[in-house]
Amino acid sequence: MAAADNGSDGGETFSARMKAVEAAWQSHLLQYALSYCLAYRNFARLAPGLAVLTGDDAASRLFHGQLNAACFALVSDSLVVAALAETIQPLLDTRPALRQVCAGALDRVWAVLPPVTGNRYFHFVLGTAAEDPRWRQAPDLVALLPDILALNGQIFSPSPFIMQTQLLNGHARMVLTSRAVHDHAEDSFPPADYAPLRQALLQAPLAALPANAGDVWRAAGWMELCFHLSTLVDPPIHHHGREIRARVDALHQDLLGRPFFTGGPDGERLEAPRALQSLLWIAERSRPLTPDQVRL
């Protein structure tokens, strides 16, 4: 059995680090959820075409799931959000152009880390420890893996309370995964194997404290613009009337430096490709530039 994780190597205990990490990032995720809910409130108020998509049927759940998947990928202001985005991208399978843009955006987010092979979610959570196949043998992890490897929970609801709970639960699963792997190694590995695995977990991206706080209102503006533009592709989900066009132009002008909609006979025909380009710009200006940064 490995020596107890009591910080006797001169560093903090694994448990202390993970408690600090969980508290700090959950505070950020509460802010992210608030930004999302502010953005969704404005979006839904201006989009009468959503009336048929606000129930509890399969179409409504898929629509909100796709809003989540696109927003988390394109407004990934931190690696924690990007890791959650990875697990729900299959929701965009019916919208290939949007999924391709989201995949490219996530590739750019993960570029702040060294290249990895395999599942990026688990490399975020476990660091180089993800390359040791023994981590999957952790008894406390057996019950978690099916949920993690499938779609990550039900992060679909625009309700502020449900959204916050689901984001926090998604992050809590990451922390529980790291703790389960650590505890299994501590109990089962010889000291020569346990020590480097413990160090790998402490150096994993999950274990980095956020370098700064975000701006709730600014993030909400980026998210709302993302919602509006994502409805213009694969195929357009609802028609943009005068009021919503004015709102999109105002957001686009404020955040990207020019209005989105243009007049002329080719206006509508060009909306989808221009929306995809603008979504790429949103992703570029939202993504973290360092592993511990909250960009917005």
Side-chain angles (χ1 to χ4, degrees), residues 243-275:
E243 185 179 9
I244 200 168
R245 291 168 77 94
R247 176 62 175 167
V248 172
D249 276 344
L251 286 168
H252 207 277
Q253 178 72 55
D254 180 45
L255 298 172
L256 296 175
R258 61 176 178 80
F260 175 78
F261 289 104
T262 61
D266 291 332
E268 282 196 28
R269 183 174 63 84
L270 297 176
E271 282 176 3
R274 286 191 294 105

Side-chain angles (χ1 to χ4, degrees), residues 124-136:
F124 170 78
V125 173
L126 304 176
T128 57
E131 299 168 8
D132 185 336
R134 292 176 296 178
W135 69 265
R136 288 178 180 263

Side-chain angles (χ1 to χ4, degrees), residues 41-291:
R41 182 186 63 185
N42 287 336
F43 169 65
R45 179 177 59 84
L46 290 171
L50 294 180
V52 297
L53 294 170
T54 55
D56 192 36
D57 58 11
S60 175
R61 290 193 295 273
L62 178 60
F63 174 74
H64 289 111
Q66 290 177 339
L67 279 185
N68 296 157
C71 181
F72 292 0
L74 298 169
V75 193
S76 279
D77 65 348
S78 66
L79 286 183
V80 168
V81 173
L84 290 170
E86 285 283 338
T87 66
I88 58 174
Q89 289 308 291
L91 291 168
L92 296 174
D93 282 348
T94 59
R95 304 181 68 187
L98 186 58
R99 176 153 190 182
Q100 184 176 5
V101 168
C102 290
L106 287 172
D107 286 344
R108 292 283 288 161
V109 173
W110 293 115
V112 302
L113 297 177
V116 300
T117 57
N119 189 299
R120 294 190 292 203
Y121 175 93
F122 287 112
H123 274 275
F124 170 78
V125 173
L126 304 176
T128 57
E131 299 168 8
D132 185 336
R134 292 176 296 178
W135 69 265
R136 288 178 180 263
Q137 301 168 11
D140 290 344
L141 197 58
V142 173
L144 286 174
L145 277 178
D147 286 341
I148 294 170
L149 294 172
L151 293 180
N152 194 352
Q154 296 293 314
I155 312 178
F156 302 166
S157 174
S159 161
F161 300 109
I162 297 176
M163 172 61 73
Q164 288 178 6
T165 299
Q166 290 166 338
L167 281 171
L168 296 181
N169 286 345
H171 182 260
R173 277 195 290 273
M174 298 179 188
V175 175
L176 287 171
T177 298
S178 181
R179 285 176 170 161
V181 171
H182 170 270
D183 293 350
H184 174 62
E186 186 179 25
D187 291 340
S188 306
F189 288 13
D193 289 347
Y194 164 69
L197 184 137
R198 174 185 181 275
Q199 191 62 23
L201 292 174
L202 288 172
Q203 292 176 347
L206 174 68
L209 293 168
N212 60 290
D215 183 322
V216 169
W217 289 101
R218 181 163 178 78
W222 288 102
M223 291 177 186
E224 184 185 347
L225 183 58
C226 177
F227 293 158
H228 288 302
L229 296 178
S230 69
T231 65
L232 287 170
V233 296
D234 277 344
I237 291 176
H238 65 81
H239 178 70
H240 290 74
R242 180 179 300 177
E243 185 179 9
I244 200 168
R245 291 168 77 94
R247 176 62 175 167
V248 172
D249 276 344
L251 286 168
H252 207 277
Q253 178 72 55
D254 180 45
L255 298 172
L256 296 175
R258 61 176 178 80
F260 175 78
F261 289 104
T262 61
D266 291 332
E268 282 196 28
R269 183 174 63 84
L270 297 176
E271 282 176 3
R274 286 191 294 105
L276 290 171
Q277 182 60 58
S278 291
L279 289 171
L280 284 172
W281 289 338
I282 290 172
E284 183 61 25
R285 299 189 188 190
S286 301
R287 68 182 180 90
L289 302 178
T290 62

